[in-house]
Amino acid sequence: MSDGDERRKGDFSSRTVPRHLARGAAGFGALAGSVLLLPPLGPWSLLLAPVGLLALRGCPMCWAVGLAQTLSRGRLRRRCGDDGRCELTLSGTGVPAGGGGGGGGGG
């Protein structure tokens, strides 16, 4: 958040996919290192765990959600009406993102 981008609450995305993948590699690497380096370094290796969680912005699931947000950035738009009903559409087309007419399977 300090690099000038305005994030909404619940936004875990990165500016680019390579940047997000690099954050994932650093985060998962630090988490794995904190466990795998326990025998040679002892409890000192556990200092890598907070570094990994910081890189993943909280947890591995947060990183996965951020990857999906990064991939869909600019392609999908969510519009909510006054009635509280929200719809996910492809950007610029107004076509529902599911590709189908919603509503289920029939009778």
Side-chain angles (χ1 to χ4, degrees), residues 19-46:
R19 180 181 286 189
H20 195 84
L21 294 176
R23 258 194 30 239
F28 286 114
L31 287 177
S34 72
V35 174
L36 295 174
L37 293 174
L38 267 172
L41 298 179
W44 289 103
S45 70
L46 295 177

Side-chain angles (χ1 to χ4, degrees), residues 15-76:
R15 289 185 184 201
T16 64
V17 173
R19 180 181 286 189
H20 195 84
L21 294 176
R23 258 194 30 239
F28 286 114
L31 287 177
S34 72
V35 174
L36 295 174
L37 293 174
L38 267 172
L41 298 179
W44 289 103
S45 70
L46 295 177
L47 293 174
L48 287 174
V51 173
L53 292 176
L54 183 66
L56 296 175
R57 291 197 181 131
C59 65
M61 190 61 176
C62 298
W63 180 84
V65 167
L67 179 61
Q69 288 176 343
T70 302
L71 290 173
S72 70
R73 174 152 295 175
R75 294 187 185 112
L76 299 174

